[in-house]
């Protein structure tokens, strides 16, 4: 199984030129965040679940960077060897003393990979719990309906189940907020959202555009929007082509979802322009105004069309990093605006 890890994704993009006291501090904080807040040994009332999750993080990152394991599985105390818990093993790896055998950039990227994957796995687990909540409620009703106490017992158990799910979700959201704040304080140009740590150089844009955008597309309905936008950001960060193409694909998916949700899709649409027209139609109540229609048409024409078609013998189309950032930020802003109108 191939795992997308930060150190491989950004191996050609220098971020750290030196290992500083701020970096050391962050790694201690991140290790505690992963092993004590994301996966504490009281996790879900079963320490084995926490250990299994941390072992998955350990094994997947180790495989991708070409190691058998991260850190030391055994420790010698009083001339005897003792097996370390997976939490201690990962914490030891995260807080290991910087060695000159590694560049500061690679040393930090490998450890950021651990943090990223731990958060991604926990986010997937929390999302699965939320998605399975109706089924788990139905199972509880079936099990307790005929027991002594009947309705009262069932209601109490249902309330407990829902409270536990909400609590886990809140704990994860708070952990994400803390991670992003700690990366900001460490002066890292990074932020976490939807399973990935990505470059975010502009604090103002991050606060006003990126953070609200990722919050809005966290629901399952917008999953494809989030996937394409994450791809756009990765391409931009690594100075690769097609960042604007994937950003516009995310915007097109948003238009399609809204058109479908509102019942405006005719089945004859052949591209994003047709979906824009569905939203501006007077018969559909002018979801967007004519001037907005014109702006969206222009965006797709300039930032999407040149990259969505083969250039033939013409020069290969390209964008500067600044232009790619503009395309991503404008697409994010449009998506935010459109979703907030629903």
């Amino acid at each position: 199984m191939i795992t997308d890890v930060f150190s491989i994704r950004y191996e050609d993009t220098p971020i750290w030129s030196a290992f500083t006291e701020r970096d050391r501090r962050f790694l201690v904080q991140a290790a505690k965040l992963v092993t004590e807040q994301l996966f504490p040994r009281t996790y879900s009332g079963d320490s084995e679940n926490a250990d299994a999750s941390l072992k998955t993080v350990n094994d997947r990152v180790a495989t991708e960077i070409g190691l058998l394991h991260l850190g030391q599985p055994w420790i010698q105390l009083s001339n005897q060897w003792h097996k370390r818990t997976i939490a201690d093993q990962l914490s030891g790896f995260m807080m290991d003393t910087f060695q000159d055998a590694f560049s500061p950039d690679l040393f930090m990227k490998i450890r950021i990979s651990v943090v990223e994957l731990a958060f991604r796995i926990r986010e997937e687990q929390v999302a699965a719990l939320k998605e399975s909540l109706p089924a788990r409620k139905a199972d509880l009703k079936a099990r307790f309906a005929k027991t002594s106490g009947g309705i009262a017992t069932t209601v109490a158990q249902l309330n407990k189940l829902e409270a536990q799910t909400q609590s886990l979700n809140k704990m994860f959201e708070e952990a994400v907020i803390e991670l992003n704040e700690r990366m900001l304080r460490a002066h890292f140009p990074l932020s976490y959202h939807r399973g990935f740590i990505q470059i975010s150089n502009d604090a103002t844009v991050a606060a006003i555009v990126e953070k609200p955008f990722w919050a809005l597309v966290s629901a399952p309905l917008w999953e494809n929007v989030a996937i394409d936008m994450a791809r756009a950001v990765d391409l931009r960060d690594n100075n690769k082509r097609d960042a604007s193409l994937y950003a516009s694909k995310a915007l097109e998916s948003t238009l399609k979802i809204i058109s479908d949700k509102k019942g405006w899709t005719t089945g004859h649409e052949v591209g994003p322009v047709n979906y824009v027209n569905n939203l501006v139609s007077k018969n559909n109540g002018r979801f967007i105004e004519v001037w907005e229609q014109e702006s969206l048409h222009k965006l797709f024409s300039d930032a999407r069309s040149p990259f969505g078609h083969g250039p033939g013998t013409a020069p290969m189309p390209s964008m500067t990093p600044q232009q790619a950032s503009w395309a991503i930020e404008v697409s994010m802003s449009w998506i935010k605006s459109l979703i907030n109108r629903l």
Side-chain angles (χ1 to χ4, degrees), residues 73-84:
W74 296 86
I75 187 171
Q76 189 174 21
L77 298 171
S78 303
N79 296 322
Q80 289 187 328
W81 287 95
H82 299 269
K83 178 79 170 174
R84 303 173 81 185

Side-chain angles (χ1 to χ4, degrees), residues 316-331:
M316 185 66 71
S318 63
M319 280 190 173
T320 66
Q322 293 78 17
Q323 290 169 333
S325 289
W326 172 86
I328 289 171
E329 291 161 14
V330 169
S331 296

Side-chain angles (χ1 to χ4, degrees), residues 42-270:
T42 55
Y43 162 65
S44 299
D46 184 356
S47 63
E48 291 183 2
N49 289 338
D51 289 347
S53 296
L54 291 173
K55 188 175 187 307
T56 298
V57 173
N58 178 85
D59 293 349
R60 289 187 185 179
V61 174
T63 296
E64 297 308 321
I65 65 173
L67 295 176
L68 291 177
H69 48 72
L70 305 179
Q72 297 300 322
W74 296 86
I75 187 171
Q76 189 174 21
L77 298 171
S78 303
N79 296 322
Q80 289 187 328
W81 287 95
H82 299 269
K83 178 79 170 174
R84 303 173 81 185
T85 66
I86 189 63
D88 286 343
Q89 187 178 328
L90 269 182
S91 292
F93 175 77
M94 291 288 292
M95 296 184 283
D96 199 7
T97 303
F98 172 68
Q99 302 171 12
D100 290 339
F102 289 90
S103 70
D105 196 55
L106 180 57
F107 184 86
M108 287 299 298
K109 283 176 180 175
I110 290 173
R111 283 151 182 80
I112 291 293
S113 296
V114 173
V115 179
E116 178 187 66
L117 187 56
F119 270 80
R120 185 187 307 158
I121 288 173
R122 192 64 181 125
E123 183 165 0
E124 290 170 354
Q125 292 173 345
V126 171
L129 284 171
K130 289 168 64 179
E131 188 175 346
S132 67
L133 185 58
R136 288 184 292 139
K137 282 183 173 181
D139 180 60
L140 271 178
K141 288 179 182 178
R143 284 194 290 124
F144 285 99
K146 297 180 180 179
T147 62
S148 59
I151 295 175
T153 302
T154 303
V155 170
Q157 290 296 324
L158 289 174
N159 290 340
K160 181 180 178 181
L161 183 63
E162 185 149 358
Q164 287 175 338
T165 304
Q166 290 176 353
S167 176
L168 287 172
N169 185 61
K170 183 181 179 184
M171 287 169 63
F172 177 74
E173 290 176 349
E174 290 174 348
V176 170
I177 291 171
E178 180 175 341
L179 172 62
N180 284 328
E181 179 62 24
R182 291 202 178 280
M183 289 195 291
L184 179 64
R185 293 184 182 189
H187 297 183
F188 297 170
L190 305 171
S191 63
Y192 173 89
H193 46 74
R194 292 279 301 194
F196 295 93
I197 292 176
Q198 296 179 307
I199 292 177
S200 179
N201 284 312
D202 191 320
T204 301
V205 171
I208 297 175
V209 178
E210 294 174 1
K211 184 176 179 181
F213 167 82
W214 291 112
L216 281 173
V217 299
S218 62
L221 179 65
W222 310 104
E223 181 177 4
N224 289 333
V225 176
I227 289 171
D228 277 333
M229 192 59 79
R231 177 64 173 157
V233 172
D234 276 343
L235 289 169
R236 178 203 62 190
D237 292 348
N238 289 288
N239 201 26
K240 301 287 180 65
R241 293 184 65 251
D242 295 339
S244 66
L245 174 62
Y246 280 90
S248 62
K249 284 175 66 177
L251 178 55
E252 181 181 0
S253 286
T254 304
L255 295 168
K256 287 182 178 181
I257 293 168
I258 292 173
S259 183
D260 291 346
K261 192 176 179 65
K262 292 287 190 177
W264 299 333
T265 302
T266 65
H268 299 294
E269 293 83 2
V270 294

Side-chain angles (χ1 to χ4, degrees), residues 291-325:
W291 68 268
E292 293 177 299
Q293 174 196 35
E294 294 169 353
S295 177
L296 283 165
H297 282 179
K298 182 67 172 170
L299 179 60
F300 281 111
S301 172
D302 293 347
R304 163 71 177 268
S305 294
F307 299 90
H309 303 282
T313 58
M316 185 66 71
S318 63
M319 280 190 173
T320 66
Q322 293 78 17
Q323 290 169 333
S325 289

